[in-house]
Amino acid sequence: MDTPTPSGKPAAAKMNPLATFIFASRWLQVPLYLGLILAQGVYVWHFLLELLHLVEAAFGSQTALQALVTSIGYKPDAPLTSLNETVIMLVVLALIDVVMISNLLIMVIIGGYETFVSRLNIEGHPDQPEWLSHVDATVLKVKLGLSIIGISSIHLLKTFINAANYDSKVLIAQTAIHIAFLLSALAIAYTDRLLRSPARSH
């Protein structure tokens, strides 16, 4: 039986050297999360660059306009001399896509570190994410699944807006992949509901 500590919580059982070594291996994941932080920095730079091009193109810069057209894969019927609604919409959707992927990265970095490496001890912090207080591996999977569906929706919308530049097979494939993401997220959420059902606890 564990001896209670002054805080009222039972003292941790003493671990043998092998168990200590295996448990400490979780710290090998730290470079992975640091790498994701660097990747997010790249996304921030890409976002700012696209935003700068959009603003410059709005003021008449042909160089910025061509950079935007190239980045979104838009192929107009006639040469563009100024921004049009389609280009603006595709660029804005691309910016939203970057934001959603950045949100996904934050969820993986913070939630993954908290779940699989070590506690962040941010309870009571005014900026603590609401979802972090009850996150576990299954909840993280569901939230990641929903985030991926959102990102897939943005990609699918971009493709449909720019459908003239895509083959019909690409449109069908992207739609099928999006439906597969939806079904996968529903399956994960349903499995989580079954595991958390009160009937399962008896």
Side-chain angles (χ1 to χ4, degrees), residues 27-41:
W27 292 102
L28 290 174
Q29 295 190 54
V30 172
L32 306 182
Y33 292 113
L34 294 177
L36 289 179
I37 294 173
L38 292 177
Q40 186 169 15

Side-chain angles (χ1 to χ4, degrees), residues 135-162:
V135 71
D136 56 28
T138 305
V139 171
L140 195 59
K141 286 179 183 177
V142 173
K143 290 186 177 296
L144 291 179
L146 294 175
S147 297
I148 291 172
I149 289 172
I151 294 169
S152 175
S153 299
I154 296 296
H155 274 274
L156 194 59
L157 182 56
K158 285 167 57 181
T159 300
F160 281 135
I161 291 174
N162 198 20

Side-chain angles (χ1 to χ4, degrees), residues 3-159:
T3 304
T5 61
S7 63
K9 297 181 180 179
K14 187 175 181 181
M15 298 170 63
N16 62 58
L18 179 59
T20 301
F21 176 74
I22 292 174
F23 186 58
S25 67
R26 71 193 190 280
W27 292 102
L28 290 174
Q29 295 190 54
V30 172
L32 306 182
Y33 292 113
L34 294 177
L36 289 179
I37 294 173
L38 292 177
Q40 186 169 15
V42 173
Y43 262 104
V44 171
W45 173 254
H46 176 73
F47 179 93
L48 295 175
L49 193 60
E50 290 292 292
L51 184 61
L52 178 62
H53 285 160
L54 180 61
V55 173
E56 289 178 341
F59 282 96
S61 171
Q62 291 299 309
T63 303
L65 178 61
Q66 292 306 314
L68 288 177
V69 170
T70 302
S71 68
I72 61 179
Y74 183 58
K75 298 177 182 178
D77 297 330
L80 287 178
T81 57
S82 61
L83 280 176
N84 60 31
E85 185 180 359
T86 301
V87 173
I88 295 173
M89 191 179 303
L90 288 171
V91 173
V92 170
L93 285 174
L95 295 178
I96 293 173
D97 190 28
V98 172
V99 172
M100 294 187 71
I101 293 176
S102 182
N103 292 340
L104 178 63
L105 282 170
I106 285 292
M107 196 175 299
V108 172
I109 293 167
I110 297 179
Y113 185 90
E114 175 89 8
T115 303
F116 301 109
V117 180
S118 180
R119 296 293 180 189
L120 293 171
N121 296 321
I122 58 174
E123 289 79 6
H125 193 283
D127 295 328
Q128 178 187 1
E130 182 182 351
W131 53 268
L132 192 59
S133 60
H134 53 272
V135 71
D136 56 28
T138 305
V139 171
L140 195 59
K141 286 179 183 177
V142 173
K143 290 186 177 296
L144 291 179
L146 294 175
S147 297
I148 291 172
I149 289 172
I151 294 169
S152 175
S153 299
I154 296 296
H155 274 274
L156 194 59
L157 182 56
K158 285 167 57 181
T159 300

